[in-house]
Amino acid sequence: MNVPIKTPDEIEKMREAGRQAASVLEMITPFVKAGITTGEIDRRCHAYIVDELGSTPAPLNYHGFPKSVCTSINHVVCHGIPDDGKSLKKGDIMNLDITVKTADGYHGDSSVMFVIGETIQGERLCRVTQECLYRSIALVRPGVRLSTLARAIQGHAEASGYSVVRDFCGHGIGAGFHEEPQVLHYDGYAPEADIELAAGMCFTIEPMINVGDSRTKVLRDGWTAITKDRSLSAQWEHTLLVTETGVEVLTARHDEDLSFLER
Ligand code: MF3
Ligand code: CO
Ligand code: CO
């Protein structure tokens, strides 16, 4: 496997791409409330990425994806397509996944969960899924194997009574949207795929965690992935840089508490 190591110049461009993706999530957050349609979320993000950031929404036309962001509500695991007929209602949970491609040609990819109104089950699932992401990020440093990250995610999800989606994974990222390596969120690595991290690698971790069983299916639109048993699903994603001493969260938001990384 040939995992790209970024040069200092590329790392600067990745930092900018990560900041931009985070800024889209910060911009849209106040609008994500009961009543807004996922179509409107898409349009606002598209306009901000193009007009304010001078960048491109990477999902648009990516292998034919029709919109600029992914909006995945409740039992939708990932790749939900924004739609003017689909409005958020109380009790919903939604993943919003943003990927920006900068004018320099580098990608920043990040997603968060929104809880609309109150849902005890939804809130617990979203919290545990974020903990899965954070526990794995905390382990990132040169020499650590991908399987170590995967076991941290799977261990916490399953100890919480949930399952880890196997059909989608994280990925290397840079000038390419999806580069090597594949970043599994469960321990399914073949020995040759279980690479050691090295300084200068950039990749995403983006666990998808289900209340019910782990199986998914893709709807006839060719994109929307749902849980087979229609149980709730959550996902959080960051783009990371492996540094000499640990990790930099390239898509960190200003209000995000990453103090767990201080060690
Ligand atoms: N942002 C997604 C990821 O985390 C990929 C979306 S591809 C799309 O890798 F075509 F659905 F937008
Ligand atoms: Co991604
Ligand atoms: Co993403």
Side-chain angles (χ1 to χ4, degrees), residues 7 12 23 27 66 87 93 114 122 139 149 193 212 246:
T7 65
E12 260 328 300
S23 78
M27 178 282 298
S87 56
I93 62 171
F114 292 95
L139 296 169
L149 310 181

Side-chain angles (χ1 to χ4, degrees), residues 59 62 65 70 79 97 99 109 171 177-178 206 223 237:
Y62 179 77
F65 190 79
C70 298
H79 305 162
D97 193 338
T99 313
D109 187 6
H171 49 92
F177 190 165
H178 296 105
E206 48 184 296
W223 284 103
E237 174 176 24

